[in-house]
Amino acid sequence: MSQESLPLIAHLVELRRRLLLALAVVGGLFLALFAFANDIYHFLAAPLLAALPQGGTMIATGVATPFFIPMKLTLFVAFFLAIPWVLYQIWAFVAPGLYKHERRLILPLVISSALLFYLGLAFAYYAVFPVIFGFFSATAPEGVTVATDIANYLDFVLALFFAFGLVFEIPVAMILLCRSGVIAPDQLARQRPYVIVGAFVVGMLLTPPDVLSQTLLAIPICLLFELGLWLGRLTPPPRDPEDAEHD
């Protein structure tokens, strides 16, 4: 029986099952990492601590903040680590309704999406954070002691992580657009000037309000657009679904 012929309740039950499987792995990873919450936060804070001037430190302004903030970070880390499994559950839910040639395409895209997301996180941590925090520390007014609150720091870096993780998905999105026939690679190429302007607008919206972090996000957007454009040219055009049934 095809997925289209299943009643709505069956779809909802299957969706619920897939969500529970995804949440179970996220919860299991969180419990496994619980004992290392403080170590994880120290690793995350390393780029800022390395950029602070001598005597600079981080502070906690809330009574329970030293406990809850590392726990919050650990939950996000568990989710990040479970992303391949979460994406697989999404793929497994939609796969029965896809044609055979579409199923062959989706799984590589799921894998590449997870890898690109991790690459975005790594780029933010190893390339962007040292530059941003070094710049902020160097521009602090004389007589001002830099003492960042750990809760504010976590919100700051999580915003950058999500921004760079999503931005690095641009090639996958462009491949899907080209493969589905929504837009042709040549049409995308003609939009390059607008993409460059839009990259800086997106950088302004997704990153903290400073020119440096906005630029560090806009430049990868432009480069990833070019990569997606190149891959889109290699992607075959969509085929007639009736022909695809005979694969």
Side-chain angles (χ1 to χ4, degrees):
M1 181 181 295
S2 66
Q3 193 180 45
E4 290 80 6
S5 62
L6 290 175
L8 176 61
I9 189 66
H11 286 295
L12 294 177
V13 170
E14 176 64 11
L15 177 61
R16 175 179 174 272
R17 188 175 77 89
R18 294 295 175 183
L19 288 175
L20 290 176
L21 287 173
L23 290 175
V25 171
V26 174
L29 288 171
F30 174 74
L31 293 176
L33 297 172
F34 182 85
F36 307 99
N38 289 337
D39 295 328
I40 294 172
Y41 192 91
H42 180 74
F43 176 79
L44 182 69
L48 175 61
L49 294 174
L52 289 177
Q54 187 174 4
T57 184
M58 301 184 71
I59 61 173
T61 56
V63 176
T65 300
F67 174 78
F68 285 111
I69 292 303
M71 292 301 103
K72 178 181 177 181
L73 173 60
T74 303
L75 181 60
F76 276 102
V77 171
F79 173 73
F80 290 158
L81 293 177
I83 279 180
W85 176 251
V86 173
L87 291 177
Y88 170 76
Q89 295 305 318
I90 297 174
W91 173 83
F93 176 72
V94 302
L98 300 177
Y99 294 108
K100 187 180 298 184
H101 72 286
E102 292 174 331
R103 290 197 295 269
R104 288 199 298 264
L105 178 67
I106 289 297
L107 188 57
L109 287 178
V110 167
I111 296 173
S112 60
S113 296
L115 293 177
L116 285 171
F117 185 82
Y118 289 142
L119 184 60
L121 300 186
F123 179 81
Y125 182 85
Y126 290 105
V128 177
F129 287 0
V131 176
I132 291 179
F133 299 143
F135 173 78
F136 287 162
S137 298
T139 55
E142 185 178 355
V144 174
T145 300
V146 180
T148 304
D149 179 67
I150 62 173
N152 292 335
Y153 176 76
L154 179 60
D155 292 339
F156 181 89
V157 298
L158 285 180
L160 288 178
F161 274 145
F162 277 112
F164 280 92
L166 292 177
V167 160
F168 272 66
E169 301 296 326
I170 288 176
V172 173
M174 293 179 65
I175 291 175
L176 289 175
L177 290 174
C178 295
R179 183 64 183 83
S180 61
V182 173
I183 190 169
D186 290 339
Q187 291 176 294
L188 284 173
R190 289 195 292 270
Q191 305 304 315
R192 185 180 285 108
Y194 303 102
V195 170
I196 295 174
V197 174
F200 284 90
V201 173
V202 171
M204 178 183 64
L205 296 175
L206 295 183
T207 61
D210 64 275
V211 176
L212 184 60
S213 58
Q214 294 167 8
T215 303
L216 289 175
L217 180 61
I219 291 176
I221 290 178
C222 298
L223 296 178
L224 290 166
F225 172 80
E226 297 298 332
L227 174 62
L229 185 61
W230 178 72
L231 294 174
R233 295 184 189 278
L234 301 179
T235 303
R239 293 182 292 169
D240 191 320
E242 295 182 359
D243 296 336
E245 285 290 345
H246 300 292
D247 284 351

